[in-house]
């Protein structure tokens, strides 16, 4: 097989990996805020549900969660899902899983802000929403950025788990090419692409961290 053809197949797989990556971030980042707020809720039932959600999603393998979401509707209710269901199941599984991790990171960041800052903002006439958005949130983002960066980089590699649902992302494409050509070259190229992708994300996060450097702890 020509090298250009191989790269074209891996490129198509990369596009699917990027779709999973972007969809997960778009869904999990805001959902993680909801999870964190529920986890810190003074309503015991809400807090308990959030703790259970986090415990299950962090305590079971992502691969198992993807399979449960994909095959669960038929196994439990006999529902025949359409041909595109596996991709939606993949997106749902990734979003729910990463929202649990992001939620705990958000919670640790929010709880690290001294209570005195809330009280000072209240004295100055800030509403609770204004205090959170203008004073607390920028500091929280700065504090949680390293942990969030680790999870986002992990997400890049975790997109390869979509292969269990038959989604031809980059790892699956490399695996098929390696079996067809009896060569490790597709794996080596895929590894290089994953690495470069992670380096780009790390560079973006470092740039964001520098821009937030004016918030001193």
């Amino acid at each position: 097989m020509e090298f250009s053809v191989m790269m074209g197949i891996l490129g198509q797989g990369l596009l699917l990996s990027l779709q999973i990556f972007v969809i997960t971030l778009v869904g999990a980042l805001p959902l993680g805020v909801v999870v964190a707020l529920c986890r810190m809720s003074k309503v015991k039932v809400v807090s308990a549900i959030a703790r259970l959600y986090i415990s299950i999603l962090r305590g079971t393998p992502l691969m198992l969660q993807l399979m449960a979401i994909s095959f669960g509707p038929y196994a439990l209710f006999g529902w025949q899902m359409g041909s595109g269901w596996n991709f939606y199941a993949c997106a749902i599984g990734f979003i729910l899983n990463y929202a649990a991790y992001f939620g705990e990171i958000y919670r640790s960041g929010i709880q690290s802000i001294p209570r005195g800052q809330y009280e000072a903002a209240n004295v100055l006439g800030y509403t609770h929403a204004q205090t959170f958005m203008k004073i607390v949130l920028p500091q929280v983002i700065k504090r949680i950025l390293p942990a969030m960066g680790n999870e986002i980089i992990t997400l890049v590699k975790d997109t390869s788990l979509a292969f269990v649902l038959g989604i031809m992302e980059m790892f699956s494409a490399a695996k098929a090419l390696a079996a067809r050509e009896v060569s490790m070259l597709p794996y080596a190229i895929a590894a290089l692409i994953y690495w470069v992708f992670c380096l780009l994300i790390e560079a973006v996060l470092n740039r964001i961290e520098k821009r937030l450097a004016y918030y001193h702890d």
Side-chain angles (χ1 to χ4, degrees), residues 108-207:
S108 65
I110 293 171
Q111 291 182 336
S112 71
I113 305 300
R115 192 64 195 172
Q117 295 196 25
Y118 293 92
E119 296 170 354
N122 185 49
V123 171
L124 293 173
Y126 282 82
T127 65
H128 187 73
Q130 289 174 328
T131 301
F132 183 79
M133 294 301 297
K134 295 183 178 182
I135 299 176
V136 176
L137 186 59
Q139 297 179 78
V140 169
I141 292 174
K142 179 180 181 295
R143 294 185 182 196
I144 69 174
L145 203 55
M148 292 293 288
N150 288 337
E151 289 300 322
I152 291 172
I153 289 174
T154 299
L155 171 59
V156 174
K157 296 173 287 184
D158 276 354
T159 57
S160 62
L161 294 177
F163 84 93
V164 299
L165 302 184
I167 296 173
M168 191 59 69
E169 41 65 55
M170 189 168 62
F171 174 76
S172 298
K175 183 179 179 182
L177 286 169
R180 178 177 174 179
E181 301 298 315
V182 194
S183 170
M184 291 296 291
L185 181 59
Y187 284 130
I189 296 173
L192 179 62
I193 293 173
Y194 280 122
W195 180 49
V196 171
F197 192 8
C198 290
L199 286 177
L200 290 174
I201 292 173
E202 185 177 352
V204 171
L205 292 172
N206 286 338
R207 187 174 181 83

Side-chain angles (χ1 to χ4, degrees), residues 28-29 31-33 35-36 39 50-59 65 93-107 151:
L29 287 173
L31 182 57
V33 176
V35 172
R39 175 69 177 80
R51 285 199 303 270
L52 179 62
Y53 169 82
I54 293 169
S55 177
I56 293 174
L57 270 295
R58 296 203 307 171
Q65 296 166 21
F94 270 89
I95 289 171
L96 292 178
N97 180 274
Y98 271 83
Y101 286 93
F102 289 160
E104 283 295 87
I105 294 173
Y106 287 142
R107 182 175 69 88
E151 289 300 322

Side-chain angles (χ1 to χ4, degrees), residues 21-76:
F21 175 79
V22 173
I23 289 171
T24 301
L25 287 185
V26 170
L29 287 173
L31 182 57
V33 176
V34 176
V35 172
L37 295 177
C38 289
R39 175 69 177 80
M40 295 185 297
S41 174
K42 295 181 180 179
V43 180
K44 291 185 178 180
V45 174
V46 174
S47 179
I49 292 173
R51 285 199 303 270
L52 179 62
Y53 169 82
I54 293 169
S55 177
I56 293 174
L57 270 295
R58 296 203 307 171
T60 56
L62 175 56
M63 184 183 297
L64 180 60
Q65 296 166 21
L66 294 175
M67 295 176 68
I69 294 172
S70 179
F71 305 123
Y74 179 77
L76 296 175

Side-chain angles (χ1 to χ4, degrees), residues 80-88 165-167:
Q80 294 282 359
M81 311 304 288
S83 57
W85 167 244
N86 278 353
F87 186 82
Y88 291 112
L165 302 184
I167 296 173

